[in-house]
Structure formats: C-alpha cells, structure tokens
Amino acid sequence: MLNRTTNNYPIPLKTPLLWINKIKQNCHLYYQKGSKFVSPYLSMGEIKGYISQVIGPVVDIHFDYGTEETVTLPRIHDAMEISRSNGKILIVEVQQHIGENTVRTVAMDTTDGLRRGMEAMSYGMPITMPTGDQVKGRLMNVTGDPIDGMAQLT
C-alpha cells in the first residue's frame, strides 16, 4: 500500500484539485479555456437529437448522424432543452443511455405538447441553480427560474 509520504503518486494528494485537473487534461475529454475546462464534444448546439418516445415525464431522445462511430451522446445528468411550438423551453435531464444511440431523460416540467421528431439540444453540463444572497427568500422551480413574481436572478 502506498502512503502519502512516498513519491509514488504522480501528483501529491495535498492538491486534489490539481490532480482532478490533470486527469481531465490527460483524458483529452476537456481542454482549458481561460480558468475553466471545456469539453469540445459536449457543447451547446453540437449534440442534437430528436424525440423518439414520450411516456409521461420520461422522454427518449435518439441521436443519429450516419454511422454509430460518429455519434456522441450527452453524459448522464446533462441538461437538454426542447423548444415547444408555443415558444417555451422544456428542460430534460439525461438519466440513462439505453442503447442504439438513444438516451432516456426525465422532464422538469409537463410534457404536454411534445411529439416525436421534435429537436432536443444538449447543454453539455448538468442543471445548475443560482446561489448566494440573491436566492434568500426567493421561490424557484427545479431549473432555477424564479416563480415568485419578483425580478429575474442575475
């Protein structure tokens, strides 16, 4: 068993953030853009799929770009948006890769009005919520949008 005092670790355990960043760089899944790590494969607008099935709050989204080798699926827990015909946006979260270039998602709002073939775009990141003093005393839905009738959060 290795201990912390030996030099058998590639990066000292005292700096776990540097260790995580080094893993991200070595896996070639991310590249550094300023102070953030960005995935070249999972950015908004690059991963586009189409609804294949809607069962209650569960929405299956299929990705098809020709051959299976070129298909990139969004990661588990990534947020995706579906534009409805009335202009409103539905946020869904990827829960499972079910095979055949399809992901199973859970809707964060009602799925009324969705139909097969509607376009879905990946955010390339999970659903995020605002934080800090601005959220104290506010009422928000599961995607972080205020629903208390007050001003939008910044």
Side-chain angles (χ1 to χ4, degrees):
M1 178 176 240
L2 301 174
N3 64 35
R4 290 178 170 220
T5 59
T6 65
N7 290 332
N8 293 333
Y9 289 103
I11 297 172
L13 290 178
K14 294 178 184 176
T15 56
L17 183 60
L18 291 175
W19 185 70
I20 291 169
N21 290 344
K22 192 68 170 175
I23 288 174
K24 288 179 180 179
Q25 289 171 341
N26 289 340
C27 290
H28 304 290
L29 297 175
Y30 298 85
Y31 63 93
Q32 192 163 5
K33 186 175 186 181
S35 62
K36 295 183 178 182
F37 283 90
V38 181
S39 171
Y41 305 108
L42 300 171
S43 63
M44 177 67 175
E46 287 185 21
I47 300 180
K48 188 186 329 181
Y50 299 93
I51 295 176
S52 62
Q53 177 174 266
V54 179
I55 303 173
V58 177
V59 180
D60 289 352
I61 300 173
H62 180 74
F63 300 85
D64 188 18
Y65 303 115
T67 65
E68 279 197 33
E69 297 165 357
T70 61
V71 175
T72 302
L73 298 177
R75 297 172 293 186
I76 304 270
H77 301 299
D78 273 2
M80 298 186 73
E81 76 171 29
I82 300 170
S83 296
R84 298 180 184 186
S85 56
N86 63 1
K88 292 187 178 181
I89 293 177
L90 172 66
I91 303 295
V92 296
E93 181 182 60
V94 177
Q95 293 295 312
Q96 184 180 19
H97 293 158
I98 59 175
E100 298 181 5
N101 302 331
T102 304
V103 297
R104 181 151 289 159
T105 65
V106 174
M108 299 293 124
D109 199 2
T110 180
T111 57
D112 292 343
L114 294 185
R115 62 184 186 282
R116 292 178 66 185
M118 291 180 80
E119 190 174 276
M121 304 280 275
S122 175
Y123 281 161
M125 62 183 191
I127 295 172
T128 57
M129 294 289 289
T131 59
D133 290 336
Q134 65 179 347
V135 300
K136 291 181 179 176
R138 299 295 303 269
L139 185 61
M140 294 174 282
N141 63 12
V142 295
T143 58
D145 299 324
I147 56 173
D148 55 6
M150 297 174 69
Q152 289 289 328
L153 299 172
T154 56

